[in-house]
Amino acid sequence: EIVLTQSPATLSLSPGETATLSCRASQSVGTYLAWYQQKPGQAPRLLIYDASNRATGIPARFSGSGSGTDFTLTINSLEPEDFAVYYCQQRSDWLTFGGGTKVEI
Amino acid sequence: EVQLVESGGDLVQPGGSLRLSCAASGFTFYEYPMHWVRQAPGKGLEWVSGICTGGGCAGYADSVKGRFTISRDDARKSLYLQMNSLTVEDTALYYCGKELSRHGHSPLDYWGQGILVTVSS
């Protein structure tokens, strides 16, 4: 089973700042890595797939990078609606989710 | 418009069984792999099970292997999760999700609203 480790667990930032979230896989997943955003009471929303491709309708301030075992989600110029929990997920071997990073004000 | 609607959640005693359903619409259901993902109260996302197109293959998280069975009925555009030998650790909101790509190895681009399963005596 591929384990995904996200860091930090919590990121405290202000609107307008840049968020950098990390996801590390226990073995290579190539570029089969996705990022989701989840707000309270809502289902997760796909942000990034194949490590760096933005999903439909996702603003350009969200970007992803990485391959193999190390991945990064960057959110430039945080908007108030960006404060949420973010999960990475691999699809190299069925599915696994990371533990999540909460981006808070 | 893609819609996924889960049903079948309930309060069940430990050791009991439950069958979840997910009704799909707005896309060609038989062409896409489908999954179940759960979220315990206040916790993160946990993949539960997935099924290939045509039902030719299925995968399970270690935590449910041997107790849960995923299936699909392409004619009814429905996904199912048969859950047996339930424990309190299975208490969660259960989501069904559709893969982005027909070809597998892709994330979930659509999710249902979730259905609550509570295991308690």
Side-chain angles (χ1 to χ4, degrees), chain A residues 36 38 87 91-92 94-95, chain B residues 35 39 59 99 105-108:
Chain A
Y36 299 84
Q38 188 180 33
Y87 295 94
R91 185 57 179 107
S92 175
W94 286 107
L95 266 69
Chain B
H35 298 263
Q39 188 167 34
E99 281 203 25
H105 288 294
S106 67
L108 307 182

